[in-house]
């Protein structure tokens, strides 16, 4: 059974940093790209970043470029999201998600972790 | 960026058909492959994949869910609607993969 378990969320002040983790199990982690998708309170879904299977390429939405870094440790089957220079508009539930093998859709999702950016 | 437009709310009666639409600002189809996908999200839960590539049922999804469309206009149909289907539904395009976009969601409510 595929499982994605996020951790590392919490309350952080504007301008500070936070690092999220996503522990994966139930599939060969190193065979798949991985992604982060977020959802602000009472809002819709927003793709944040994607990393390819071996970590050699990464992609970001414009609003987080230069502030967020997606990375992975295939030996630990773990995905990360380093979030720097956080803003109030980054407040959201962050989901770890697995893109399908053809990068079409997100076939598995974690339960999400809440990040609140506030002074 | 491709913008996906959904109606915010759809009210439906149990046992009736629900038709949820999603319109893209430009075509999301390539050589007859329709790169539009649908998710269901219940309050407090993560999204769940329902339909991929416009019309393919994801694993474990009941046959009362179906999808159709091509180019810029897509539809998710639930027939008949059951109480367990009350949720938010999102479309998502992968035409510009890996730069994905989602629609703002349609909240399915009981009439």
């Amino acid at each position: 059974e595929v499982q994605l378990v996020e951790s590392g969320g919490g309350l952080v002040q504007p301008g500070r940093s936070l690092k999220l983790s996503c522990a994966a199990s139930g599939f060969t982690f190193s065979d798949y790209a991985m992604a982060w998708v977020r959802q602000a309170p009472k809002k819709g879904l927003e793709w944040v970043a994607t990393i390819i299977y071996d970590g050699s390429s990464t992609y970001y939405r414009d609003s987080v470029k230069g502030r967020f870094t997606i990375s992975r440790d295939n030996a630990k089957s773990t995905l990360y999201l380093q979030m720097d220079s956080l803003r109030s508009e980054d407040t959201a539930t962050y989901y770890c998600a697995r893109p399908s093998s053809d990068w079409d859709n997100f076939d598995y999702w974690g339960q999400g972790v809440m990040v609140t950016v506030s002074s | 960026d491709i913008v996906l437009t959904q109606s915010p709310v759809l009210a439906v009666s149990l046992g009736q058909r629900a038709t949820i639409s999603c319109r893209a600002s430009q075509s999301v189809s390539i050589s007859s492959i329709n790169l539009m996908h649908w998710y269901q999200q219940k309050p407090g839960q993560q999204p769940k994949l329902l339909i991929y590539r416009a019309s393919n049922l994801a694993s474990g999804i009941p046959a009362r869910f179906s999808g159709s469309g091509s180019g810029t206009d897509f539809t998710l149909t639930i027939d008949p609607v059951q109480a367990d289907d009350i949720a938010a539904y999102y479309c998502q395009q992968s035409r510009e993969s890996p730069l994905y976009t989602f629609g703002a969601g349609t909240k399915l409510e009981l009439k």
Side-chain angles (χ1 to χ4, degrees):
Chain A
E1 179 195 4
V2 172
Q3 286 199 319
L4 301 171
V5 180
E6 302 95 337
S7 60
L11 173 64
V12 62
Q13 293 179 326
R16 304 297 290 265
S17 299
L18 202 62
K19 187 172 185 176
L20 306 182
S21 300
C22 170
S25 61
F27 66 102
T28 304
F29 184 73
S30 57
D31 283 350
Y32 286 85
M34 293 296 296
W36 290 96
V37 176
R38 68 185 179 184
Q39 185 171 34
K42 306 293 185 186
K43 298 294 185 182
L45 301 167
E46 184 175 80
W47 167 77
V48 175
T50 300
I51 185 168
I52 73 168
Y53 71 102
D54 64 356
S56 60
S57 292
T58 56
Y59 307 87
Y60 300 91
R61 68 179 303 104
D62 286 346
S63 61
V64 307
K65 270 182 198 171
R67 300 188 300 120
F68 289 12
T69 303
I70 188 172
S71 62
R72 63 191 299 159
D73 184 336
N74 284 347
K76 295 182 178 179
S77 296
T78 301
L79 176 72
Y80 302 101
L81 184 67
Q82 175 68 44
M83 302 184 292
D84 299 324
S85 302
L86 281 161
R87 306 167 179 167
S88 58
E89 54 264 37
D90 296 318
T91 294
T93 296
Y94 284 74
Y95 294 101
C96 168
R98 190 185 84 170
S100 59
S101 56
D102 47 17
W103 288 53
D104 261 358
N105 54 75
F106 300 100
D107 53 7
Y108 288 95
W109 298 68
Q111 84 287 352
V113 63
M114 184 68 200
V115 173
T116 303
V117 184
S118 174
S119 54
Chain B
D1 291 6
I2 296 177
V3 176
L4 303 180
T5 301
Q6 298 181 247
S7 297
V9 177
L10 177 66
V12 64
S13 301
L14 292 179
Q16 299 301 303
R17 173 185 298 177
T19 303
I20 298 170
S21 63
C22 176
R23 174 163 289 176
S25 59
Q26 61 190 80
S27 176
V28 298
S29 302
I30 303 176
S31 301
S32 79
I33 299 175
N34 301 305
L35 298 172
M36 183 66 79
H37 322 283
W38 291 93
Y39 300 84
Q40 177 193 65
Q41 187 180 32
K42 297 179 181 178
Q45 294 187 17
Q46 69 268 55
K48 176 174 33 174
L49 179 67
L50 294 177
I51 301 284
Y52 63 96
R53 292 193 172 184
S55 60
N56 298 280
L57 211 58
S59 177
I61 302 303
R64 65 179 183 275
F65 291 91
S66 62
S68 63
S70 64
T72 60
D73 292 297
F74 296 86
T75 300
L76 171 69
T77 301
I78 311 170
D79 190 12
V81 170
Q82 298 186 1
D84 189 51
D85 302 333
I86 301 306
Y89 292 85
Y90 295 91
C91 55
Q92 173 244 319
Q93 66 81 22
S94 56
R95 175 66 178 83
E96 296 185 321
S97 171
L99 307 180
Y100 308 97
T101 51
F102 292 85
T106 296
K107 190 175 179 183
L108 187 65
E109 295 181 342
L110 283 179
K111 206 180 273 187

